[in-house]
Structures are given as C-alpha cells and as structure tokens.
Amino acid sequence: MAHAQDTEAGKGVFKKCAACHATDTTTNKVGPHLGDVIGRTAGTVEGFNYSKAMKDAGAAGLVWDEAHLTEYLAAPKAKVPGTKMAFAGIKKPDELVNLVAYLKTLPESP
C-alpha cells in the first residue's frame, strides 16, 4: 500500500539525520549538506570528503532522485557498499516516504 507523503512528519523523522546533516546548501557536518540533494549527483558536494564508494557511485551515474534516496535511506550500505554513512537506515515505510518528501522541500543552491 502506498503511503501519503507528509512533509511535516518527515521533518520529525529528519531529527534522526540532523546530528550529521544540515538542511542548507553550504554547511557540511559529519555528512554533506542536504539542501539541493534532489537531482544532485552522488558524491559531489564541494569540500566534502566522500568515501571512494560514494564518489564512484556518482561517477557511474547515481543521481539522488526520490527512488534512489528511498533505497539508500532504507539501507545505505546495501545501496552504496562502502559508504561512510554509519546510519543503519529508516526501516518504517511511512517514515521513509515522509523523510523523502521533506528532503524534496529543502532549499536549492542559489
């Protein structure tokens, strides 16, 4: 069954991500910033030290769209083996749908 997207609920789910990721388009923390993540090629944030696996995934054509983000956020190490992201993944389908909906609302690069 498909879940309705709820960006406000997704904002709450994002609290699991906020220790390592900022929602603007300039601040890198432990993880790269997530502003403008939709449509961005994996492993390409300026000044962020990605794993070779993530850079290789981007070089091979991985672009963060709704489908790829959903797969990655459900099981990061399954989607990009060798990623430095230690997070185990969002296991509840409704939380995953809402989180991706929220990520779609983040600012784009100026």
Side-chain angles (χ1 to χ4, degrees), residues 43-107:
T44 60
V45 166
E46 191 75 25
F48 186 77
N49 184 22
Y50 287 96
S51 63
K52 180 179 183 321
M54 189 61 75
K55 289 188 276 192
D56 289 351
L62 178 60
V63 173
W64 296 122
D65 60 14
E66 205 168 331
H68 287 298
L69 270 174
T70 299
E71 280 181 60
Y72 183 71
L73 294 173
K77 292 190 185 303
K79 178 71 175 169
V80 181
T83 182
K84 290 194 297 187
M85 188 159 108
F87 186 68
I90 304 287
K91 301 305 178 201
K92 295 180 180 171
D94 58 329
E95 287 188 357
L96 194 54
V97 166
N98 293 338
L99 178 58
V100 172
Y102 172 68
L103 292 174
K104 288 167 46 180
T105 71
L106 297 182

